[in-house]
Amino acid sequence: MLFLDISTWQPENSDKVIEHFKELRPPAGVNIINQWVDISGGRYFILYETDDPQAFAEFNLPWSDICLIESCPVMESTDFIKLMSKKSM
């Protein structure tokens, strides 16, 4: 399953967040697809895949002391349209 995480943090935590980024190593079971940083500051976006709830938790919990993380399960729009088209039949 694909997840898009949006992490936000307060400016006073920027140095801590940068250190976390430098040490970012996803656990087994988490495949990072891509990552983006809001260049205006305070937000980080990461798209990754996992089917393992434990790996999901191991990936996100270490950040919980300095970031607010919103995790959204996502799928490509073309796949979503196909799914919804089948449901309508």
Side-chain angles (χ1 to χ4, degrees):
M1 180 171 231
L2 290 175
F3 290 91
L4 177 67
D5 284 3
I6 304 168
S7 300
T8 56
W9 60 89
Q10 298 299 316
E12 61 268 16
N13 288 331
S14 292
D15 290 340
K16 291 178 186 176
V17 170
I18 289 169
E19 289 306 311
H20 272 279
F21 284 139
K22 289 179 182 177
E23 297 174 15
L24 180 64
R25 305 287 181 271
V30 171
N31 176 37
I32 295 176
I33 297 170
N34 213 333
Q35 311 169 68
W36 303 269
V37 175
D38 179 348
I39 58 175
S40 64
R43 289 192 305 174
Y44 169 72
F45 306 86
I46 183 167
L47 180 65
Y48 61 96
E49 186 172 27
T50 188
D51 291 323
D52 182 349
Q54 183 171 338
F56 174 87
E58 288 176 18
F59 189 55
N60 283 306
L61 286 176
W63 295 82
S64 64
D65 62 334
I66 59 172
C67 292
L68 173 65
I69 301 172
E70 293 180 70
S71 292
C72 307
V74 296
M75 66 185 339
E76 291 188 27
S77 59
T78 53
D79 293 337
F80 180 76
I81 291 167
K82 287 177 191 175
L83 177 66
M84 295 310 291
S85 295
K86 289 179 186 178
K87 186 176 180 178
S88 298
M89 295 180 157

